Amino acid sequence: MSRTITARSGRNAAGGDANRWAVLVVLCVSLLLVALDATILHVAVPSLTENLRPGATELLWIVDAYPLVCASLLILFGTLGDRIGRRRVLLLGYGIFGLASAVAALATEPWVLIGARALLGVGGAMIMPATLSIIRTVFPDRRERATAIGIWTAVAAIGAAAGPVLGGFLVEHYWWGSVFLINIPLMALILPLARRLLPESRGSAEGPWDVLGALMAAAGVLGCVLGVKRAGAGEPLLSVLTAGPLLAGALLLVLFVRRQRRRAHPLIDMRLFSRPAFTTSVGCIVLAMLALVGLELIAIQYLQLVLGLSPLETGLRLLPLTFAAMAAGATGSYTLRRIGPRRMVGWGFLLTAAAVLLLTFMGQHDRPLLLTVGFVLLGFGLQTTLFSAYESMLSEAPPRSAGGAAAIGETSYQLGAGMGIALLGSVMNAAYAPGLADVPGVPAAASGAAANSLGEAYQVAERLGGTAGEALHTAARHAFVDGLHLTLFVSAGLLLAGAAMALRLPRVMECPVDVEAAVEEAAAEAAAEAEAKAEAEAVRGAAPEVSPAPARDVVSGPTLVPGQPVSSPADTAPAAAPQDPPRPLPGGGQAGKMSGAATRAR
């Protein structure tokens, strides 16, 4: 008898026969919906404002409730999936997401829409880490997993970029609620497919689940993200409503880390952060988003307010970025095998920095070729960096901690995005506002109002009219472009810092045997064989004898190599042959150690 050590992605983690690539399709469609929902509402804001008449604070919460709740609950639901089953959490997330979408689409009051958006955040927090952790389980071979993660990251980029384009089309032809309504038929389609195809997997279930620790992590992340978002919106950093949540959130996260280090069965194994590759990968994700998310929002303002493009035209201008990201994801696995994580992440940062510096040549007039080349380099470089950082981070985490590791990665992504908006937004405002201080013929009050944003400057200039209005309009455009150039230089500096950080990553892509996954599958196969034998004896009228094979039969024999068949000892040696001494396994393990692991797995 011979068998190949691979992940089997059926109803059970080890025993199903469904195609793991079909599982990947289901997971990617799930991620696509979550990524779309993060950006699709932006173009619908004017329409829903006209219909629901929300106040300024209510409108802010309509937009921010989803990312705030989603970011704060990622660790909670990621670690919960490790305990009770990632498939179970994912399916529950589907149901919540579909229900919240229906409520949001039919909302007639601002507070109803805010609640629905918060509920969407709950569903998104259940879906996002589960998709990545199931990929970690279904693809134990690192080479195949790299391909899967490349597709996963490309789908995330497609969803984020397609959100404004799809939202603009739906709002133009239907009504603002249609941006939520499209989720319902997709969820109705994907839910039965997920129930049939997705494997159930979980991590270690030793000890009680740390409910208090999960709540501390959720509150800590919520405080940090809320404070960062308020700072990015222009609120004073030292104000109570900005500094208060930031300090409280940081304190809770420090207490959470100390609590996890003391517990015998922590939510997140803090020893992961002692691995340089894991810590560096998380830092690279934060830096990449820190440098680019705020820049993306400023670039959209440039396309619409400086160049005068419509929302749909803006979305189409960004399509080269999306296509380049797709190409980077599709070729990422091959590139990672050829050049290794260190050079791939480092070169991705350098390519992105070069693209950002190229975009500094943007000015008052449209330069389509320059923008297209810059966006292509930007999309390819950013996706290359994020793909290799995610892959390295997830490969450093053992399968039992996949949910927690995925949650850490997604939380880092969200925190980096929020801090990027705050940091680069502050740089932009610092460069933009002084340019409107002394515009001839413009009153001080009008200049102060115009300094808030370029859109508001245009409104003030229109109200002033005449020579003063024209002067304010021109000054605002020039000040915005000057601020954009400074922001691009700061972003390039952050990207170069990321390239330096990447030097701590491994040189080569190591593909050791996933010993834990191999032992678990071998144990499951032995149990299945014993059960089949018992059923056969029961049919013949004999008393069933259910006795699992000795642990040494599961793992003795040749060294395990990914993708190569492993022969059973019964196939390679006579029954009375003496037992061979334990052989070294990749990663320093011994066959005797694996026997113990297999016995515990049973």
Side-chain angles (χ1 to χ4, degrees), residues 14 40 44 47 79 86 90 122 151 215 321 325 385 424 454 491 498-499 548 588:
I40 199 171
S47 179
T79 56
R86 294 144 188 160
L90 184 61
V122 174
I151 297 171
L215 295 177
L321 188 151
T385 298
L424 297 186
L454 183 58
S491 180

Side-chain angles (χ1 to χ4, degrees), residues 168-416:
F169 173 82
L170 291 172
V171 171
E172 184 176 344
H173 290 83
Y174 302 100
W175 94 108
W176 65 265
S178 60
V179 301
F180 299 110
L181 207 58
I182 61 168
N183 294 336
I184 298 175
L186 291 175
M187 281 297 174
L189 174 65
I190 200 173
L191 187 58
L193 287 176
R195 286 177 59 86
R196 179 177 180 82
L197 293 177
L198 294 185
E200 183 58 283
S201 65
R202 54 174 58 89
S204 173
E206 298 177 356
W209 186 54
D210 185 8
V211 179
L212 178 59
L215 295 177
M216 289 172 63
V221 174
L222 177 62
C224 289
V225 174
L226 180 59
V228 165
K229 278 187 169 291
R230 290 188 61 85
E235 296 290 334
L237 184 60
L238 298 180
S239 69
V240 175
L241 295 179
T242 302
L246 272 175
L247 293 176
L251 177 61
L252 284 171
L253 289 179
V254 170
L255 294 176
F256 169 76
V257 171
R258 293 184 61 184
R259 178 180 176 87
Q260 298 309 298
R261 286 177 172 172
R262 291 196 306 264
R263 290 183 64 86
H265 305 289
L267 281 176
I268 294 176
D269 187 357
M270 291 299 164
R271 290 174 296 181
L272 288 174
F273 289 96
S274 66
R275 303 182 180 188
F278 184 88
T279 306
T280 303
S281 298
V282 171
C284 288
I285 293 171
V286 172
L287 262 182
M289 300 314 299
L290 181 68
L292 292 168
V293 169
L295 178 62
E296 180 183 357
L297 294 177
I298 296 170
I300 290 175
Q301 293 181 54
Y302 170 80
L303 293 174
Q304 292 186 358
L305 299 177
V306 175
L307 300 185
L309 303 181
S310 68
L312 183 58
E313 290 172 331
T314 299
L316 294 176
R317 282 292 186 94
L318 293 173
L319 283 182
L321 188 151
T322 304
F323 291 144
M326 292 170 60
T331 59
S333 176
Y334 173 80
T335 307
L336 185 62
R337 291 197 301 269
R338 291 296 299 270
I339 68 176
R342 179 185 299 179
R343 283 186 288 180
M344 189 167 180
V345 174
W347 289 359
F349 271 122
L350 292 176
L351 181 60
T352 310
V356 167
L357 292 175
L358 178 64
L359 292 175
T360 58
F361 291 99
M362 294 186 301
Q364 302 290 329
H365 304 289
D366 192 4
R367 303 180 69 179
L369 181 60
L370 172 68
L371 291 176
T372 300
V373 173
F375 286 156
V376 167
L377 296 178
L378 188 67
F380 195 91
L382 173 62
Q383 191 67 17
T384 296
T385 298
L386 288 177
F387 158 73
S388 43
Y390 266 111
E391 197 282 333
S392 298
M393 178 202 71
L394 204 60
S395 295
E396 285 294 311
R400 65 177 180 273
S401 303
I408 291 171
E410 292 298 327
T411 304
S412 303
Y413 184 102
Q414 298 288 345
L415 284 174

Side-chain angles (χ1 to χ4, degrees), residues 448-466:
N452 291 330
S453 68
L454 183 58
E456 192 166 350
Y458 285 173
Q459 295 176 2
V460 173
E462 186 177 355
R463 288 197 299 268
L464 286 176

Side-chain angles (χ1 to χ4, degrees), residues 432-433 436-438 442-453 456-457 460 472:
Y432 168 73
L436 303 179
D438 299 313
V442 178
S447 296
N452 291 330
S453 68
E456 192 166 350
V460 173
L472 180 61

Side-chain angles (χ1 to χ4, degrees), residues 39-267:
T39 58
I40 199 171
L41 182 64
H42 294 167
V43 295
V45 167
S47 179
L48 73 86
T49 301
E50 183 178 348
N51 283 269
L52 297 184
R53 302 291 181 183
T57 302
E58 290 174 325
L59 182 60
L60 182 65
W61 279 104
I62 287 173
V63 175
D64 287 345
Y66 175 81
L68 281 174
V69 173
C70 185
S72 63
L73 296 179
L74 286 168
I75 293 177
L76 188 153
F77 286 123
T79 56
L80 182 62
D82 286 342
R83 286 294 180 135
I84 69 173
R86 294 144 188 160
R87 174 180 176 273
R88 182 179 301 175
V89 172
L90 184 61
L91 293 178
L92 183 58
Y94 287 160
I96 292 175
F97 204 85
L99 175 63
S101 297
V103 175
L106 303 176
T108 57
E109 297 290 339
W111 65 267
V112 176
L113 184 55
I114 292 171
R117 289 278 288 170
L119 196 59
L120 279 169
V122 174
M126 301 176 84
I127 293 171
M128 291 175 70
T131 59
L132 197 54
S133 56
I134 290 176
I135 287 175
R136 174 67 177 88
T137 305
V138 172
F139 293 92
D141 181 83
R142 185 170 182 180
R143 288 163 293 190
E144 285 191 343
R145 184 166 65 245
T147 302
I149 294 176
I151 297 171
W152 183 88
T153 53
V155 168
I158 292 169
V165 179
L166 180 60
F169 173 82
L170 291 172
V171 171
E172 184 176 344
H173 290 83
Y174 302 100
W175 94 108
W176 65 265
S178 60
V179 301
F180 299 110
L181 207 58
I182 61 168
N183 294 336
I184 298 175
L186 291 175
M187 281 297 174
L189 174 65
I190 200 173
L191 187 58
L193 287 176
R195 286 177 59 86
R196 179 177 180 82
L197 293 177
L198 294 185
E200 183 58 283
S201 65
R202 54 174 58 89
S204 173
E206 298 177 356
W209 186 54
D210 185 8
V211 179
L212 178 59
L215 295 177
M216 289 172 63
V221 174
L222 177 62
C224 289
V225 174
L226 180 59
V228 165
K229 278 187 169 291
R230 290 188 61 85
E235 296 290 334
L237 184 60
L238 298 180
S239 69
V240 175
L241 295 179
T242 302
L246 272 175
L247 293 176
L251 177 61
L252 284 171
L253 289 179
V254 170
L255 294 176
F256 169 76
V257 171
R258 293 184 61 184
R259 178 180 176 87
Q260 298 309 298
R261 286 177 172 172
R262 291 196 306 264
R263 290 183 64 86
H265 305 289
L267 281 176

